[in-house]
Amino acid sequence: RALGTFFAQDDITLLSRAAGLESWEWAFRQFSAGLLFRLEYAAFGLDPFGYHAVNLLLHLLNVAGVYALGVRLLGGRTAAGSAAALFGSSSIAFTPLHWATGVVELLTCTLLLGATLLHLESQGRSQAWLWAAASVALLAMLSKESAATWLLVVALAIPITFAGAH
């Protein structure tokens, strides 16, 4: 049903910024609310369907990311599938899917899931994998400032070992 909704009040603010009708402070959320929303505005204009379609695609990608993370951490497809199904159908997804500005949260989640999967894959590999994870995490932080907590979570929860390290 989200594909058929119109814009929410917060959407109008970002639309007016993307259209150049209102000034934009580039201090926060440069990647999601800045660059991505401007690209969406250039592609979809004032048609809400495109914005909601992008949000739905990001949400589905996040569900797949939760599944992949679940397989990696939980060790079984059933548990991972259950986690992904709960994540995908949770009512917490209502706002990001029904508001065009939800792209901020959805993109941040996509990037953090990607960074986490890359970080986990870096175990026993070259530092290039860790740099890739850090780069994706940086994009997440440029999407929403609260993504910076990922650094603390990863530092405390996932120790790093590299191939050839003693």
Side-chain angles (χ1 to χ4, degrees):
R1 294 186 298 183
L3 292 174
T5 60
F6 194 63
F7 293 112
Q9 185 174 355
D10 286 354
D11 298 340
I12 304 304
T13 301
L14 280 188
L15 284 169
S16 64
R17 289 177 183 164
L21 301 174
E22 193 174 315
S23 66
W24 173 252
E25 295 292 326
W26 283 92
F28 298 104
R29 301 180 183 180
Q30 298 95 337
F31 192 61
S32 59
L35 179 63
L36 181 59
F37 210 81
R38 285 178 186 231
L39 290 172
E40 286 183 310
Y41 178 76
F44 310 125
L46 296 176
D47 182 5
F49 180 83
Y51 297 87
H52 296 308
V54 167
N55 287 0
L56 180 58
L57 289 172
L58 285 171
H59 180 63
L60 293 174
L61 188 58
N62 291 339
V63 170
V66 168
Y67 177 78
L69 190 60
V71 168
R72 174 83 186 207
L73 296 178
L74 302 174
R77 293 178 188 233
T78 302
S82 297
L86 286 171
F87 176 84
S89 62
S90 170
S91 61
I92 198 88
F94 177 84
T95 300
L97 289 175
H98 287 78
W99 292 13
T101 53
V103 74
V104 170
E105 285 77 18
L106 292 165
L107 180 62
T108 304
C109 183
T110 302
L111 293 168
L112 287 177
L113 283 166
T116 304
L117 289 166
L118 283 167
H119 183 77
L120 289 169
E121 195 61 34
S122 74
Q123 304 295 310
R125 295 180 182 245
S126 73
Q127 286 189 344
W129 285 84
L130 193 56
W131 281 108
S135 298
V136 174
L138 177 61
L139 288 176
M141 290 175 226
L142 292 173
S143 294
K144 189 166 184 175
E145 53 283 356
S146 61
T149 59
W150 179 86
L151 295 169
L152 181 61
V153 170
V154 169
L156 294 175
I158 308 170
I160 298 296
T161 56
F162 295 104
H166 298 96

